[in-house]
Structure formats: C-alpha cells, structure tokens
Amino acid sequence: MAEEKKTVKLPHSVILENRKSLTATGVSNVDSFDEQAIVAYTDLGELTIKGKGLNISRLNIETGELNVTGDISSLNYAESQASGGIFSRLFR
C-alpha cells in the first residue's frame, strides 16, 4: 500500500515595518530573487515583493519564515497555479 504524503498548510501572515523590513510566515518556497524583486510561494498564492536593495536576511522553508530587508515598494499576490513547469514559467 502506498503511503500518502500529507501537506500541512502553514498559517500565512505578512508584517511590514516602515517599508524597510518584511516578515512573512507560511512561505513554502522562493522561486526567484534579486535586488529588485523576490517571488515567494504561499498556500494562498504567489507573493511578489518589489523594491530596491532587497535582501533575504532569513529563509526557513521548514517553518515557513521569510525575512526581507531593503526599500520595499510593493507586495502583490497572484493565485497559485496547481499545474506548472518550465513552459508556464516561460510564458508568464
């Protein structure tokens, strides 16, 4: 009998302090990052953080914690996509 892998949904929250420090919980993965944008996945959708001089100061996928510092200008959510792959990334 095959063992089913259960996924536990992590509680999600975002705390932004003075547009300089962001703490997010419930992060399941970080897709890409540079000094202008960070793309993270949560159970509630894809979270894109944009700004200048962005730096991931802490990332723990096991606990779902993400800490970002820099000049944060925007946060944007997109619906999570169940199916994906290389072609869905290429044609965003």
Side-chain angles (χ1 to χ4, degrees), residues 39-59:
V39 178
Y41 292 107
T42 73
D43 287 334
L44 299 178
E46 180 182 281
L47 172 62
T48 303
I49 304 160
K50 291 187 179 180
K52 295 180 183 175
L54 298 180
N55 180 44
I56 296 176
S57 57
R58 181 177 178 185
L59 173 62

Side-chain angles (χ1 to χ4, degrees), residues 7-73:
T7 57
V8 177
K9 289 191 175 193
L10 299 171
H12 177 61
S13 67
V14 175
I15 300 170
L16 180 62
E17 297 177 28
N18 297 321
R19 294 179 65 175
K20 300 284 184 195
S21 175
L22 178 130
T23 302
T25 62
V27 175
S28 59
N29 195 8
V30 172
D31 182 48
S32 63
F33 62 93
D34 59 27
E35 290 188 348
Q36 284 94 27
I38 298 170
V39 178
Y41 292 107
T42 73
D43 287 334
L44 299 178
E46 180 182 281
L47 172 62
T48 303
I49 304 160
K50 291 187 179 180
K52 295 180 183 175
L54 298 180
N55 180 44
I56 296 176
S57 57
R58 181 177 178 185
L59 173 62
N60 188 333
I61 297 300
E62 291 178 8
T63 61
E65 294 179 48
L66 171 68
N67 293 345
V68 176
T69 57
D71 294 322
I72 299 166
S73 60

